[in-house]
Amino acid sequence: MTEKEVEKAYKKMTESDAPDLWAKIESNLPEKEVRTEKKVRTGFFAKLGKIFSGGSTWKTSAAVCAVCIIVLGTAQGAGGMFRAGSSYETASATSKSSYAMDAYSAGGAEEYSAEADGAEAAPADYNGMNYAAAAAGTGADADSSGGAVVLSENAASAAVGTEAAEASADEAGTAENSKETANSADTKNGQSSRKLIRTFNLDAETTDFDNLVTQLQQETQNLGGYVESSYVNGNSYYTENSRYASLTLRIPKDKTDDFLGTVGEMANVTSKSENAEDVTLTYTDLKSHVEALQAEQEQLMKLMEQAKTVEDTMSIQSRLTDVRYELESYMSQLKVYDNQVDYDTVNISIQEVKNETPTGELSIGQKMLNGLENSLRAIAESAKNLCIWFVASIPYFVILFAVIFVVVSIIKKIRKKK
Amino acid sequence: MNNREFDRCMRRMQKGDKTGLKEIYEAYISYIYAVIRGVVKNKENAEDLTAEFFIKLWNMADQYKVGSGHKTWMTVIARNMAIDFMRKAGREQLTEEVPEVSAADTAAGIADSMENEVVGRMNFRETVEKLPETERQIMTMKLAGQMTFKEIAEVLGIPMGTVTWKYQNSLEKLRRVGV
């Protein structure tokens, strides 16, 4: 016999041997209350309900924990997508190529650059107490009112000396001298002789943050300038590519245009502004004071030589001290102005980004593609952040699961008691 | 009857519907009887125990939880009822088994030929009844109950390898019937 035949024969044998016991069984069945059938739900939600209510404590705890994680994860992911999307909002776009063609070109700079000759000649007027320009006497003007009684006998000569001092200053050949300097238009670069303090503010973004910061500092030094201040903010733990730098650079005024062009090539400049403060009149006024004081100083020194009495000497010395003090003060102010005029201030803020802001006019198709690309990037970014958040939060999930497990166990025990 | 049909019958029984039990009875009466008869040789006792089994099933319906493996579950209950009966009856040995063949005889090949000669003269029923209790249980569960070797091993509490070996051994004996 084959196995199949054996099976068939065996079954036949057992079936034929089976007694008819139904009557006996039925007669001995105890009566039961007829209950309405509870609708047994099947399907996903029914199984889910079974897990929460009827499953083991482990299963129930794991299910509750999973729901909490999903809710938290969804909130995290949605927030991440929102943040990632907002980071791609474009700032005011500025074309890189058009950057070099704006007011920083030679034509625009012509209006604002300070006069080169004036800057060069200015130190010769007062640096190191150069008295050559002030030939004789001091001006008997309001600046020398302190020793009027002692100097009265020399007033006439002092007045003459003042005029001579002014004439001498002109004869010294300085290109700038108070009002004449301010109005002079003949400079070797064809630029105005005005004293202008220029300040430039740039916002830039880059994908190569470290390189750009280094290059800017290097370029500043190459042009003969210097870094006045530097601030760099590094990464935080929870975000990437959010480094920020703020640099204040002092660039020689004749090199500023080149420098700004270089910045436009190295980074994506998203905004710029410029400011020029005309300090010509103030500068000229200061210079006038300096020259007058220098003349007075010269005159006082001559008077000192002629003084016969101790009282005269003391008086002249006192006045001379005051004049020198004032002279130093004015010359210091002139130095500050010269520094501000000779070196333009360029404030650059640099933001590190993953993708640079698109510049220039875009077609509708390009805008749609850009929008789609940004959305996909935002989704990818938030998915990545979600994974990082999940792994980083595993210790919390373990604690959460333990708490839920205890709670579920307690609830089940209470139900059993009931 | 598959698991789903069995669960439906049990739910009807929970409601107090006897037709559910009737369906289970008609599907499994021969199998349960054969399982119990394999332990309890006496026919009357086997019938009584079989009736008790279905009454017990009716009473246990409220405790039944929907799941899988209803055949294994019923087989265990039926077999345990039979074993308990035999213990209460005061018999330590449940059945008389066919004497095991010694290794020496097997080596000589004499025992095998004698067994073969004995089997050859008996009919199918007699051969089945002469099977050792464990082998008969295995054949009943496998051929009549359509259970897997794993389920049979679980019920009998013996290794699955032993189950398969005994099954093949018994099958060989039964196959030689009528040759």
Side-chain angles (χ1 to χ4, degrees):
Chain A
M1 288 169 77
T2 63
E3 187 174 347
K4 282 287 181 190
E5 288 169 343
V6 170
E7 183 180 337
K8 201 174 173 184
Y10 203 97
K11 276 184 180 174
K12 193 178 174 184
M13 184 189 77
T14 53
E15 282 167 9
S16 65
D17 287 347
D20 185 8
L21 301 171
W22 178 247
K24 186 179 178 182
I25 293 167
E26 193 178 12
S27 63
N28 287 305
L29 287 178
E31 289 298 324
K32 278 190 187 180
E33 282 182 19
V34 179
R35 287 182 288 160
T36 53
E37 185 178 354
K38 245 194 289 187
K39 188 177 178 184
V40 177
R41 292 188 196 130
T42 55
F44 173 75
F45 289 104
K47 287 177 185 171
L48 201 64
K50 276 182 197 166
I51 291 172
F52 278 106
S53 60
S56 68
T57 307
W58 284 103
K59 274 187 187 175
T60 307
S61 304
V64 173
C65 199
V67 168
C68 291
I69 290 168
I70 289 168
V71 169
L72 288 170
T74 306
Q76 174 73 11
M81 277 182 66
F82 176 75
R83 282 193 295 274
S86 65
S87 71
Y88 289 105
E89 287 174 5
T90 58
S92 55
T94 306
S95 169
K96 265 194 194 178
S97 57
S98 67
Y99 179 81
M101 298 298 294
D102 59 16
Y104 301 122
S105 63
E110 185 178 345
E111 188 181 347
Y112 294 107
S113 67
E115 179 235 334
D117 284 349
E120 288 169 3
D125 291 337
Y126 59 83
N127 277 352
M129 305 288 281
N130 186 355
Y131 301 113
T138 59
D141 54 7
D143 291 336
S144 56
S145 59
V149 174
V150 176
L151 299 173
S152 60
E153 58 184 295
N154 295 317
S157 61
V160 171
T162 303
E163 290 171 4
E166 287 183 7
S168 300
D170 289 336
E171 289 173 5
T174 57
E176 62 166 329
N177 193 355
S178 63
K179 288 179 278 187
E180 285 77 14
T181 302
N183 293 326
S184 171
D186 293 330
T187 64
K188 62 180 178 184
N189 291 331
Q191 294 175 342
S192 168
S193 58
R194 304 180 75 81
K195 296 289 185 183
L196 298 171
I197 298 176
R198 295 199 300 172
T199 306
F200 300 89
N201 299 305
L202 305 175
D203 289 333
E205 58 183 23
T206 180
T207 55
D208 190 3
F209 183 82
D210 294 316
N211 208 20
L212 178 64
V213 171
T214 309
Q215 278 182 335
L216 285 174
Q217 292 172 333
Q218 188 63 43
E219 185 67 17
T220 302
Q221 288 177 354
N222 292 344
L223 294 174
Y226 60 94
V227 179
E228 188 174 277
S229 72
S230 169
Y231 169 78
V232 179
N233 187 13
N235 278 345
S236 72
Y237 181 74
Y238 294 104
T239 58
E240 293 180 1
N241 295 329
S242 62
R243 285 188 292 177
Y244 171 82
S246 174
L247 305 173
T248 300
L249 309 172
R250 306 302 308 283
I251 310 294
K253 62 181 179 186
D254 55 341
K255 306 280 177 60
T256 306
D257 295 337
D258 294 335
F259 178 77
L260 293 173
T262 307
V263 172
E265 289 167 11
M266 289 195 289
N268 185 24
V269 178
T270 55
S271 78
K272 63 172 176 64
S273 68
E274 56 180 288
N275 172 270
E277 184 186 358
D278 192 342
V279 296
T280 310
L281 291 177
T282 308
Y283 188 89
T284 307
D285 190 45
L286 280 173
K287 275 208 70 181
S288 300
H289 282 305
V290 165
E291 287 165 4
L293 288 169
Q294 283 172 341
E296 187 180 348
Q297 181 181 249
E298 186 68 27
Q299 189 65 24
L300 286 170
M301 297 217 22
K302 286 184 179 174
L303 286 175
M304 180 79 86
E305 290 170 4
Q306 297 167 12
K308 300 243 182 339
T309 64
V310 172
E311 285 173 359
D312 289 344
T313 306
M314 292 291 289
S315 178
I316 294 168
Q317 184 63 45
S318 173
R319 178 61 195 155
L320 194 60
T321 304
D322 291 340
V323 167
R324 282 178 179 163
Y325 181 78
E326 284 183 60
L327 192 59
E328 286 288 340
S329 174
Y330 284 122
M331 283 172 65
S332 174
Q333 288 180 51
L334 278 175
K335 277 185 186 174
V336 169
Y337 275 118
D338 276 334
N339 177 269
Q340 289 178 336
V341 167
D342 290 344
Y343 288 84
D344 292 334
T345 302
V346 180
N347 297 313
I348 304 179
S349 66
I350 302 167
Q351 178 69 54
E352 185 181 27
V353 293
K354 271 189 175 174
N355 302 95
E356 292 180 357
T357 305
T359 57
E361 282 298 317
L362 301 173
S363 65
I364 293 176
Q366 272 182 314
K367 285 180 184 174
M368 286 164 66
L369 278 174
N370 284 345
L372 179 65
E373 198 181 337
N374 288 341
S375 299
L376 290 172
R377 270 202 217 104
I379 291 170
E381 188 70 23
S382 60
K384 186 179 75 171
N385 289 336
L386 187 65
C387 292
I388 293 169
W389 167 83
F390 182 82
V391 173
S393 304
I394 283 175
Y396 297 111
F397 296 153
V398 170
I399 295 169
L400 180 67
F401 179 80
V403 169
I404 291 170
F405 185 85
V406 168
V407 170
V408 167
S409 302
I410 292 169
I411 291 171
K412 286 201 169 182
K413 278 182 185 170
I414 293 169
R415 278 187 182 174
K416 273 185 186 174
K417 279 182 184 174
K418 285 181 181 176
Chain B
M1 183 180 277
N2 59 29
N3 284 325
R4 188 175 285 187
E5 290 167 350
F6 186 84
D7 292 343
R8 256 194 293 232
C9 291
M10 290 301 284
R11 280 198 292 273
R12 280 151 60 190
M13 285 163 60
Q14 287 169 0
K15 291 190 305 177
D17 184 0
K18 291 178 185 174
T19 59
L21 181 65
K22 182 85 187 289
E23 276 188 43
I24 294 174
Y25 167 84
E26 285 168 355
Y28 288 107
I29 177 61
S30 55
Y31 171 69
I32 295 297
Y33 179 75
V35 168
I36 292 174
R37 186 75 191 274
V39 178
V40 178
K41 288 294 185 185
N42 185 275
K43 185 181 173 185
E44 287 73 27
N45 291 334
E47 287 180 3
D48 290 340
L49 282 170
T50 303
E52 275 183 39
F53 169 83
F54 285 98
I55 295 169
K56 189 173 183 178
L57 196 67
W58 171 260
N59 293 331
M60 286 174 69
D62 291 332
Q63 300 153 24
Y64 177 76
K65 284 183 183 173
V66 174
S68 58
H70 68 279
K71 277 186 201 167
T72 308
W73 179 66
M74 287 198 301
T75 308
V76 169
I77 293 172
R79 195 162 175 272
N80 287 342
M81 284 177 68
I83 292 169
D84 288 343
F85 174 81
M86 295 303 289
R87 282 182 185 153
K88 280 178 187 174
R91 298 178 195 182
E92 290 186 0
Q93 283 207 353
L94 303 178
T95 57
E96 290 181 4
E97 294 192 4
V98 172
E100 295 292 338
V101 177
S102 68
D105 291 338
T106 305
I110 299 169
D112 277 344
S113 61
M114 281 180 66
E115 194 174 287
N116 291 340
E117 192 181 339
V118 168
V119 166
R121 286 205 294 266
M122 292 188 293
N123 62 17
F124 189 84
R125 180 182 292 279
E126 286 171 348
T127 308
V128 170
E129 287 174 359
K130 285 293 178 187
L131 288 174
E133 187 237 341
T134 305
E135 290 186 14
R136 187 174 173 180
Q137 292 277 293
I138 291 171
M139 297 307 283
T140 301
M141 289 185 220
K142 184 67 182 166
L143 298 177
Q146 298 291 303
M147 289 171 69
T148 64
F149 287 123
K150 189 178 175 185
E151 288 171 338
I152 296 169
E154 195 182 311
V155 170
L156 297 179
I158 58 176
M160 196 172 87
T162 306
V163 171
T164 53
W165 185 85
K166 286 182 181 290
Y167 172 77
Q168 292 297 331
N169 199 30
S170 304
L171 187 66
E172 189 57 35
K173 290 174 189 172
L174 292 175
R175 282 177 63 193
R176 275 190 258 121
V177 172
V179 171

